[in-house]
Amino acid sequence: MPEKKSGKLPGPYLCSLNYVQAMQFYKYQGTGNDFLLFDNRDQSLQLSTVQIALLCNRHMGVGADGLMLLEQAEGYDFRMVYFNSDGRESTMCGNGGRCLVAFAKSLGIIGPTADFIAIDGPHKATIAPGGLISLHMNPVSGIRIEVGHTILNTGSPHYVQVVADVQAVDVVAEGRKIRNMPQFQPDGINVNFVQLHDGKLKVRTYERGVEDETLSCGTGVTAAAIAATALFEGIFATDIDTPGGHLVVTFTKDSPKSAKDVVLTGPAKFVFMGEIDSAVL
């Protein structure tokens, strides 16, 4: 990771709006799902909902699907605090969790393994020599199997619908319609459209809080993989293709309505670091 040099910008990686009252951030992405990360172990950073939404805004701010704080947590390597791009604290984010693990490694907080806590409880993660990160998700129960779709919670609530051609789906229009159905209010639900092709799943996701399609959703592909065992008879698909890249989900299905030993594996890439003057927020 490039280091900041005093008075100069070291190459294309560091962008600074102002060196006075500046907050340092790091941008990471996991299969195209991108995040702004802050080291908040000293608890000095206090951001409002409006400020977080501005930072995540792709036109008026830095731009990201979400923002995360890495904080101290007794008994764990760190705490993950996750906010959607609308500025509100949200539920678990699988791609974000992997990115925060990679960030913690870059800060020297962890080695090749991590034990951290998020809003949905404790998680373990392992960083392979090639950089792929395997994130242990929490067991899933209470799976609702309906005609043509499944509803389940993989740290965040998800609606998984089978489609014939995932590329032909208007993800924003159809996803928004389902996300805003009365039965899912007031918090809404994430919506995944899934196609089985050559033994792999193709998944596109509409994310609440972002209110748009994202290039990938970690808890969404996890939900899709688990739901596929009910939606596609006799299928146990672990390879998932999203618009942002490839992910692998493994698990043990211990009953039709539950799964355990759930692991999400995929990349987490550093994009750039920068500073933003707190006075502009």
Side-chain angles (χ1 to χ4, degrees), residues 152-275:
L152 65 165
N153 193 310
T154 54
S156 289
H158 284 274
Y159 182 107
V160 181
Q161 179 176 312
V162 178
V163 296
D165 182 1
V166 74
Q167 293 304 118
V169 177
D170 187 338
V171 171
V172 174
E174 294 303 313
R176 185 171 292 157
K177 186 187 305 181
I178 296 168
R179 177 254 189 269
N180 288 309
M181 285 180 173
Q183 61 264 43
F184 302 128
Q185 302 316 305
D187 296 325
I189 196 167
N190 301 289
V191 184
N192 307 271
F193 300 95
V194 180
Q195 175 189 355
L196 180 64
H197 180 73
D198 291 338
K200 294 184 179 181
L201 296 179
K202 292 185 175 181
V203 181
R204 294 175 64 190
T205 303
Y206 179 92
E207 286 200 54
R208 62 174 189 172
V210 180
E211 305 308 336
D212 203 347
E213 179 180 8
T214 55
L215 292 181
S216 176
C217 174
T219 56
V221 300
T222 302
I226 295 171
T229 60
L231 296 171
F232 303 105
E233 187 175 352
I235 294 297
F236 189 88
T238 61
D239 291 330
I240 318 287
D241 286 327
T242 72
H246 182 74
L247 292 162
V248 174
V249 179
T250 59
F251 58 94
T252 301
K253 196 74 179 295
D254 51 356
S255 82
K257 295 186 177 181
S258 62
K260 62 182 180 180
D261 305 322
V262 184
V263 180
L264 169 67
T265 300
K269 302 289 187 179
F270 168 71
V271 182
F272 64 86
M273 62 183 290
E275 291 180 341

Side-chain angles (χ1 to χ4, degrees), residues 32-223:
N33 205 187
D34 59 342
F35 310 95
L36 303 180
L37 311 186
F38 291 84
D39 180 0
N40 196 36
R41 285 176 290 171
D42 63 2
Q43 293 290 301
S44 63
L45 188 61
Q46 301 292 328
L47 294 171
S48 69
T49 299
V50 172
Q51 289 173 321
I52 293 170
L54 176 58
L55 283 166
C56 291
N57 187 290
R58 297 190 184 278
H59 301 287
M60 307 300 289
V62 181
D65 291 327
L67 181 148
M68 284 181 285
L69 305 178
L70 185 149
E71 298 186 344
Q72 302 259 26
E74 186 176 354
Y76 297 92
D77 293 318
F78 59 88
R79 180 184 305 278
M80 170 184 173
V81 184
Y82 175 70
F83 300 86
N84 276 326
S85 62
D86 63 3
R88 294 186 294 178
E89 187 173 0
S90 191
T91 45
M92 181 58 185
C93 176
N95 289 329
R98 295 197 321 279
C99 286
L100 204 63
V101 167
F103 181 44
K105 178 71 162 56
S106 75
L107 295 175
I109 297 171
I110 62 169
T113 63
D115 287 281
F116 69 95
I117 189 162
I119 194 168
D120 66 333
H123 291 267
K124 294 181 180 294
T126 303
I127 306 174
L132 288 179
I133 297 175
S134 294
L135 176 63
H136 292 253
M137 310 293 281
N138 285 324
V140 177
S141 60
I143 300 172
R144 292 166 51 191
I145 304 168
E146 311 285 349
V147 177
H149 70 270
T150 297
I151 298 170
L152 65 165
N153 193 310
T154 54
S156 289
H158 284 274
Y159 182 107
V160 181
Q161 179 176 312
V162 178
V163 296
D165 182 1
V166 74
Q167 293 304 118
V169 177
D170 187 338
V171 171
V172 174
E174 294 303 313
R176 185 171 292 157
K177 186 187 305 181
I178 296 168
R179 177 254 189 269
N180 288 309
M181 285 180 173
Q183 61 264 43
F184 302 128
Q185 302 316 305
D187 296 325
I189 196 167
N190 301 289
V191 184
N192 307 271
F193 300 95
V194 180
Q195 175 189 355
L196 180 64
H197 180 73
D198 291 338
K200 294 184 179 181
L201 296 179
K202 292 185 175 181
V203 181
R204 294 175 64 190
T205 303
Y206 179 92
E207 286 200 54
R208 62 174 189 172
V210 180
E211 305 308 336
D212 203 347
E213 179 180 8
T214 55
L215 292 181
S216 176
C217 174
T219 56
V221 300
T222 302

